Every structure is written in C-alpha cells, then in structure tokens.
Amino acid sequence: MDKLFVTIGAVIAISFIAWWFFGKHTTAMVDAAVTHDKQDVDVSVSGGYTPSTVVLKRGIPAQITFNRKDPSNCLEQVVFPDFGINEFLPKDENHAVTIDTSTPGEYEYACGMNMFHGKVIIK
Amino acid sequence: MSIKNRFVFSLILSLPMLIEMVAAPFGFTLPGGAWTMFLLTTGVMAVSARPFIQSAWAAFRHHHANMDTLVAVGTATAYLYSVYAMLTGRAVFYESAAFVITFILLGQYFEEKMKHSASGAVEKLIGLQAKSADVLRDGQFTKVPLSAVVVGDTIRVRPGEKVAVDGTIADGHSSIDESMVTGESMPVTKQAGDHVIGATINGTGTFTFTASKVGDDTLLAQIVEMVKKAQTSHAPIQKTVDRVADIFVPAVLIAAILTFTVWYVLLGASLVNAMLFAVSVIIIACPCALGIATPTALMVGTGRSAKMGILIKNGEVLEAANKIKTVVFDKTGTITEGHPQVTDIVGGPEVLQVAANLEVASEHPLATAVLDKAHDTGLTPVAATDFQAIQGKGVQATVDGQSAFIGNDKLLDNYTLTPELTQQMTQLQNAAKTVVIVGQADQVIGLIAIQDAPKLSSAGAIAALKARGLRTVMLTGDNDRVARAIADQVGIDEVIANVLPGDKAAAITRLQTDGPVAFAGDGINDAPALTTADVGIAMGSGTDIAIEAGGIVLVKNDLQDVVRALELSQKTFSRIKLNLFWAFIYNTLGIPVAAGLFAALGLVLSPELAGLGMAFSSFSVVASSLLLNKSKLTSTAAPIAKVA
C-alpha cells in the first residue's frame, strides 16, 4: 500500500516539476519611462530578473536600475556580454547600469554564472 | 552575512557532530543525543542555509531552478526527515544536512576568492593610471588631478614619474619603461617628436610633452575597455553548455525522485536509504562547475595576454584562432620595418635630383625614402609642375622645362631599358630591393633601389609558426622578385605579389577555401582584409592602434606577438575544453554513483561526500583556470638577442 502511494506521489511530483519548469509561462515586458531625454527602468533581482525583458528607445541615454534582494552568489553579478558590462550588484541597494542605446537590437544579459537571463530590446 | 561568516558559523555548529561521528566507535556519544543534533542543525539551517532557501524559493516562483534549488531541496529533505524520524524514534541523520552546507559554503568561499583574482586583470590595468600630472598653467607647472588634463596641455614628467596621458614629446628626452602597456621588456629611448603612452614610467630623463589623447581616448582606457568586453564575452562553445544548464536542475530533481522510487518501491530499500540516495543525487549534481568553466578561463587568458600587449577581442576570436590553418602577412610594416631606405642609385647624379623634384609632394613611403636620401646628400628638391599620374605605374611632370617621370617596373610598358640596366634591375630585385625607374625626355636615365629590411624578429616568428604546423603566406603589392627575396630571407612558404591594396580581401577569400585564415597586417590600412580573415590580427605601433580593426590587436609591432597571440588563444581554448570536460564528467559520473547504480559493487556516495565533491569540483575548475597564468609559452622562451 505504502509503495503504491509513493509511486503515485512520485508521478505527481515529476509531472508538476515538468509543468512548472518546462511549460510555457508568459514573461512580463516593460517599457522604460522616458523623462527629460533620459530613460530609466527598475529591475528587481530575486530568483531572476523582474521584469525579465525591458524595452528601451533608441538614441536616448538609458539606465537600468537593479535592486538585488536575492542573497545568492549566483545573482550577485550582472553581465552584459555585448556591452562589456560585468558589475557587482550590492544586496538591497539600487545599482544603476548605463546602457548604450545607439544600436537597435536584442541584447541578452545574465548573472555571473549564466543561469538567469534577462533581455534588453532597443528599438 | 558574508559567505565566510556563514561558513565559519556552520563549521562551529557542525564540529560537535563531526567529533561524535569520529569518536562513536570508541563509545562516545553526544550529550543530549538527537536533541542536541537537532538544535545544532537547526542553527545551521536557519543561519547558514537560509540564503540558499530564500534564493531557491525566489527562483521557483519565477519558474527557474538553480544550484541553490538543489542545495536547498537536498538539505531540507535530510533535515525535515530527521525531525520526523526523531519524533517517531528512528535513526536521524542531521549531520548530513549540516556537513553538506558547511562543505558547499567552503567551496563557495574559495570560489569567490579565486574568481576575484581571475577577474583582477582589469583592476590592475586601471590601477596603472597616473593619479595626477604636472601641467603648465599660467606659465607654471602645477600638479592637477588626471581628470583635469585636457588635449593640448603641456605636461612635465620627472625621472621615475608616470606619464599621465598619451601625447608627443615637445622637449627633452628619456628612456621610458612601456612594459605595462606594450609588454616590451626593454625601456624605449624617446626624444622630441616621439609618442609617449599614458601610464608608462619615465626612466632617468626629464621631458615635457603635449597631451594628444585624454580620458577614454587614451591607449590604456581603450585596452581596459577591450579587456572588459573580452572577459564578459562568451565563447560559442558556451552556448551548448547554456542549453544544458537551463534544463539541468529540474532534470536532476526528477532523477532524484526516480532514484527514490526505484530504490523504495522496486528494490525494497528502507525509506532512509532510498532517501539518502536521492539526496546524494541532488547534491552531487550541482552544475556550478559547468557555469564557471568558460568564464574563468576566458578571464585569466585574456587578462594574461593583455599584460603582454596582446588584446583578444572576445571568446569567438579565441575559438577561431584555434582552428587557423594559414597565416597571411602583409609585407610592408608587418614583416619589414616599414621604413624604406635608398640603397643604390644607378645612373648619374641627376637621377636623384630629378626623382626628388618629382616626389617632393608625394606621401608614398618610397617617396619619403627618396627625399630622405636627397636631403642626406645635400640636394634641395624643386617641385615639378604639371603633375600627371600614370595609373598604377607612377607619375609624370615637368622638370626644368622637360617632361620627366618616375615609377615602378610597370612603366616598362611605355619605355624600354638598355640591356645593361635590365640586368642591374634584376640583380637589385633579387637582392630584395624595390626598383624605381627615373626618366627624362622619354628616356630612362637611371634606377633607384629602395630596400625595406625585414624586422629582426620576423624570421624567428615565421619559423615558430611553421613549427606549429601553419602555412605562411606573404601578401604584397610589390614586385614578385622583390617579394620572393624578402620571403626567402624570413622563411615564408608562399608569396602573392602584385596585389593592389583593394584586392587584399579577395586574396584572403581565395585562401580561405583551403581552411581558416589569420591575417596579420597594419591596423589602419588593411581593415578590409582584417575583417575578411577568420582572425584579423591588427599590428599596432604605440598609440595609434585601431581597436575596431582586428579580432586580435597587438600593441607592439612585433611578429613574435602573432605567435604568442595564437599560442595563448590555443592554450586558453584548450583550458576551456578541459574545464568543460571535467565539469561534465564529474556530473555524468557522479549522478549514477550517487543514485546507487554501483551499490552492488560497494560504491556509494553519502550526501556529505557528495557535498565535499561538489565543493571540490568548482574549486578545481577555478584553480585550473588560474593555472593558465602559470602555463609556459614556448614562444617567449626565445628572445631575440639585442646586438648593439
């Protein structure tokens, strides 16, 4: 009887993991707020980047302000390979990263271990 | 709380349990038994392990899973089961949870320390910058901070001081140690008119110079920018790893559940044993070694090469450099010194005068050689009039009321040489000299031989490249015979001569049919060929390096650096592959062992050992990357003897 319950439990747990991690889940996309020839967007770092995709307007100086709430040493660095940015994000503090918006395109960024991903779209 | 403090805290709380484990065979038991262990482990879980759990939960809510997920799930399972077991009077294994946390934090602590030293290259470069400069303001030299220096400022540098920014010496001379920027170990003698590089150290003389580049435009600032970009870039090989990492953690959780079910349901193991196998699987599978295998090696490799004046643009270039079959060189300025000099004049004294009159307005390097020679022999050139270019051959103009011409051997389509001159011309060309034909009133009156000698280091570099099994090719606009003679002097296999500047890229494309090609050339004139080649190596000289032009930029204009650049790229790339291999092997072998596949052979992995192994795997990957700093380069072992 025990074994039957364990088997059923295992099947349920596996299906849940597969659905939760591999299933399609929509991600939020946020446009940066433009004020006085500057655009600024906040990204919260906690178990990933929220919002994970930010949209910037081309040609306007832009800043992404990261606030890391996550204690993981994985997320303590943010790396934009296309811009040569590799910065340390202090915990529970705002840390602004300046993005060069001169060339439109989609730019991926990631944590120091490349486990969490975010995206910047410049258009 | 820092990783170090979290580690120390969990170590102190784990120690009593460790002592019990070792001393248990001798009849020692912990006072308070399971309850003491419960309190100690609860402390570890609440303080040292809490960040793992927080992070795992935050990631979970975003449909993500990372290494923290594995640590949190693994230790929480062991801990919660032990609480249940304690309350129902069964055997507990709190120590597993506590030890795993301690070992993983130990691994992370080392990893953090080593990652810091791996990424130290950029900080070291920035640290080279001078803090202040002695600038001429209102007729007096005053110390101003570096940020206040502007282009055009006159700056004084005393013995032992740092040159603040890039510029040109206005007055005085000295020897300057440029090793920190160019990798050149010998101090360089400089005088008025010579370029100086910011952050280099002045030797014994005092001089003043005019600032030409400040702030982000200086060579050092550009090097820093390039190294930063290279260190954050990804080698293409990493992309496969990323795809694996994305699905890895959930897959491991599923594997752990399967392990538990198979052991408990099918093989009839006890609940405790089945769970221990599952926990071991979760702990051993942590993919962090995989995640840091490429970035750490890339950081150390590009950082080390930057110190030698070799700037590798990104991981892609590094990987491409590994597959190179052919190295193509531009002749002038790359293999040769790039300062042509007149060696022979055939004909009367009027030959040089006519030539100088014709060349006085030209900026061609050969014209410079002719004018230098005229200047040395005390001739004053009088500019000719009515200039007319003879397409691809030379120029024609009026000198002293007579028509005169100068140009290369293609002019022989229009004019004829005496048999004697033809013979002399062949002789000179075979001696690696470029021959210029000078004529007046439709008659060839003489020849001027100009030589651009190969650099001292060229022959050695070519030999080293050939020893690495590479095919070497020289590309030049020069005459076939001259090119062949130079090629023979330095030992190059193949020569492609008579290539017009615009056709260099096309020549590279043709060579690419036989395999990937690297092209080494002047960063300023050879941009199309540099971008066409699989690996473009831009040879710089001092402050004028063209960073955009090549995948690899050499600060020094020395062919030996081409060898070093290729060797370092290969070393770094093989290190990346080695790291990835070990990280993968570790996970692929570790998981089956942890799952108890070899239990029949007596080979099992307890959760504690799995935790230790996991700490060791990231530790060994970072250590292996740091070893790149120490690896020997064959090409540096043979410096060219300086013969004064």
Side-chain angles (χ1 to χ4, degrees):
Chain A
M1 203 59 192
D2 259 14
K3 297 189 173 177
L4 185 66
F5 281 134
V6 167
T7 314
I8 293 170
V11 169
I12 292 173
I14 290 174
S15 334
F16 173 75
I17 291 172
W19 169 75
W20 187 259
F21 292 110
F22 299 147
K24 280 256 173 283
H25 300 279
T26 49
T27 48
M29 206 196 275
V30 165
D31 286 335
V34 184
T35 44
H36 301 89
D37 300 338
K38 254 182 75 183
Q39 46 185 340
D40 211 341
V41 63
D42 291 332
V43 171
S44 149
V45 183
S46 174
Y49 300 101
T50 322
S52 60
T53 305
V54 296
V55 183
L56 303 175
K57 285 194 185 59
R58 187 188 170 188
I60 303 170
Q63 270 191 345
I64 299 179
T65 308
F66 288 98
N67 190 314
R68 178 165 73 99
K69 299 183 184 77
D70 197 306
S72 162
N73 70 336
C74 194
L75 282 159
E76 69 188 12
Q77 268 167 316
V78 63
V79 181
F80 290 78
D82 301 298
F83 302 113
I85 296 168
N86 181 0
E87 292 200 29
F88 181 81
L89 304 175
K91 197 168 172 285
D92 297 319
E93 271 175 49
N94 283 333
H95 184 87
V97 172
T98 308
I99 303 290
D100 171 16
T101 55
S102 54
T103 327
E106 288 194 15
Y107 303 96
E108 294 245 338
Y109 65 92
C111 70
M113 283 180 181
N114 213 10
M115 299 275 301
F116 295 99
H117 300 265
K119 204 194 294 177
V120 174
I121 300 175
I122 298 173
K123 56 184 177 190
Chain B
M1 202 184 234
S2 72
I3 288 178
K4 188 183 161 196
N5 291 345
R6 279 163 60 196
F7 164 67
V8 172
F9 185 83
S10 68
L11 180 68
I12 292 170
L13 291 197
S14 305
L15 267 182
M17 290 185 272
L18 186 69
I19 292 169
E20 198 216 82
M21 203 169 82
V22 175
F26 308 106
F28 172 82
T29 45
L30 209 58
W35 282 97
T36 312
M37 287 168 114
F38 166 70
L39 289 177
L40 290 171
T41 308
T42 306
V44 172
M45 293 303 284
V47 177
S48 298
R50 197 169 63 186
F52 290 130
I53 298 167
Q54 273 176 351
S55 179
W57 177 241
F60 178 77
R61 287 205 331 244
H62 288 87
H63 304 279
H64 279 305
N66 62 347
M67 56 165 288
D68 293 333
T69 311
L70 296 180
V71 176
V73 170
T75 54
T77 311
Y79 175 75
L80 292 176
Y81 171 79
S82 296
V83 174
Y84 161 78
M86 182 177 71
L87 295 177
T88 52
R90 296 169 214 227
V92 297
F93 51 100
Y94 284 115
E95 73 282 0
S96 291
F99 291 171
V100 165
I101 295 288
T102 309
F103 288 141
I104 287 172
L105 284 172
L106 176 69
Q108 286 196 353
Y109 172 64
F110 276 120
E111 188 186 311
E112 190 181 54
K113 287 209 85 158
M114 292 198 290
K115 253 179 19 191
H116 196 76
S117 63
S119 63
V122 167
E123 275 116 72
K124 267 185 214 149
L125 281 170
I126 294 172
L128 288 176
Q129 214 145 45
K131 305 283 173 288
S132 59
D134 239 356
V135 180
L136 187 65
R137 293 276 156 88
D138 306 322
Q140 273 195 342
F141 282 104
T142 27
K143 271 238 181 300
V144 302
L146 192 65
S147 54
V149 178
V150 294
V151 171
D153 269 346
T154 300
I155 300 167
R156 181 178 60 188
V157 188
R158 290 216 186 85
E161 281 182 348
K162 270 186 183 170
V163 177
V165 294
D166 296 353
T168 315
I169 297 188
D171 189 32
H173 57 89
S174 183
S175 68
I176 298 176
D177 176 7
E178 296 188 335
S179 58
M180 59 296 288
V181 181
T182 65
E184 171 65 62
S185 54
M186 297 291 288
V188 192
T189 311
K190 303 239 169 167
Q191 57 195 23
D194 285 343
H195 284 294
V196 289
I197 307 171
T200 56
I201 295 173
N202 182 22
T204 46
T206 299
F207 63 88
T208 59
F209 73 97
T210 314
S212 61
K213 283 174 184 166
V214 301
D216 288 345
D217 297 330
T218 62
L219 179 65
L220 184 70
Q222 293 194 51
I223 291 177
V224 167
E225 190 56 28
M226 196 164 167
V227 173
K228 265 193 194 168
K229 280 204 175 145
Q231 293 197 329
T232 56
S233 72
H234 296 299
I237 196 171
Q238 177 80 27
K239 294 210 174 92
T240 327
V241 179
D242 290 351
R243 269 198 292 277
V244 175
D246 274 347
I247 57 160
F248 194 78
V249 174
V252 165
L253 291 177
I254 291 172
I257 294 171
L258 287 176
T259 303
F260 176 79
T261 318
V262 168
W263 275 106
Y264 184 67
V265 178
L266 299 182
L267 301 175
S270 69
L271 192 65
V272 179
N273 280 335
M275 209 186 61
L276 280 178
F277 282 125
V279 170
S280 294
V281 168
I282 293 175
I283 299 298
I284 194 80
C286 249
C288 42
L290 219 51
I292 57 177
T294 316
T296 50
L298 207 59
M299 270 187 189
V300 175
T302 52
R304 176 174 181 192
S305 61
K307 271 186 237 155
M308 300 166 71
I310 298 164
L311 310 174
I312 299 169
K313 196 170 261 175
N314 54 37
E316 233 159 288
V317 172
L318 206 84
E319 196 164 330
N322 210 44
K323 300 190 183 102
I324 292 301
K325 294 274 174 292
T326 311
V327 188
V328 183
F329 299 92
D330 179 42
K331 183 180 79 88
T332 308
T334 302
I335 291 177
T336 63
E337 295 281 2
H339 303 297
Q341 279 168 334
V342 172
T343 52
D344 307 79
I345 298 172
V346 180
E350 74 280 6
V351 172
L352 187 58
Q353 181 69 59
V354 170
N357 293 353
L358 285 166
E359 298 279 40
V360 72
S362 169
E363 280 170 9
H364 196 276
L366 295 184
T368 318
V370 169
L371 291 172
D372 282 349
K373 183 71 181 175
H375 181 79
D376 289 348
T377 39
L379 296 176
T380 319
V382 186
T385 50
D386 303 330
F387 274 101
Q388 257 185 311
I390 314 171
Q391 194 61 48
K393 297 175 180 174
V395 287
Q396 191 176 357
T398 310
V399 176
D400 297 338
Q402 279 186 312
S403 118
F405 59 86
I406 188 164
N408 57 29
D409 53 1
K410 294 201 186 83
L411 272 179
L412 296 181
D413 299 346
N414 312 24
Y415 305 97
T416 41
L417 289 181
T418 62
E420 197 190 340
L421 279 180
T422 310
Q423 195 204 340
Q424 275 176 316
M425 181 157 143
T426 312
Q427 235 167 37
L428 289 168
Q429 285 179 335
N430 283 339
K433 292 168 184 173
T434 307
V435 179
V436 175
I437 298 164
V438 185
Q440 209 169 12
D442 290 341
Q443 285 286 316
V444 175
I445 57 166
L447 308 172
I448 297 179
I450 296 168
Q451 189 173 32
D452 187 8
K455 288 178 201 157
L456 276 179
S457 59
S458 295
I462 303 289
L465 288 174
K466 280 186 172 172
R468 302 182 73 79
L470 295 166
R471 170 181 166 209
T472 53
V473 179
M474 182 166 92
L475 202 59
T476 175
D478 218 333
N479 165 288
D480 201 26
R481 223 175 284 144
V482 181
R484 190 68 253 174
I486 295 267
D488 288 344
Q489 282 180 20
V490 296
I492 282 191
D493 299 329
E494 279 170 65
V495 173
I496 306 178
N498 293 315
V499 185
L500 294 174
D503 296 341
K504 281 186 182 168
I508 300 281
T509 314
R510 276 198 300 281
L511 286 168
Q512 278 171 328
T513 52
D514 297 336
V517 172
F519 175 73
D522 189 313
I524 298 144
N525 300 325
D526 295 327
L530 284 170
T531 29
T532 307
D534 299 273
V535 176
I537 305 175
M539 313 275 292
S541 46
T543 55
D544 292 329
I545 59 164
I547 295 243
E548 260 73 51
I552 296 177
V553 177
L554 307 180
V555 178
K556 258 184 307 169
N557 197 345
D558 181 351
L559 275 196
Q560 285 286 357
D561 279 351
V562 173
V563 189
R564 283 181 207 126
L566 292 179
E567 199 182 358
L568 261 174
S569 306
Q570 281 164 0
K571 280 235 154 87
T572 309
F573 190 67
S574 19
R575 187 63 55 145
I576 290 176
K577 282 197 288 192
L578 183 78
N579 284 353
L580 287 176
F581 172 77
W582 280 115
F584 260 117
I585 276 292
Y586 178 84
N587 277 330
T588 42
L589 287 186
I591 292 173
V593 174
L597 234 57
F598 306 107
L601 305 171
L603 191 60
V604 287
L605 205 58
S606 68
E608 296 96 311
L609 272 182
L612 193 63
M614 205 214 84
F616 183 71
S617 80
S618 357
F619 179 81
S620 58
V621 161
V622 184
S624 139
S625 295
L626 282 175
L627 277 178
L628 258 182
N629 261 332
K630 299 275 179 286
S631 68
K632 267 218 181 96
L633 290 180
T634 48
S635 46
T636 42
I640 306 300
K642 294 239 171 193
V643 185

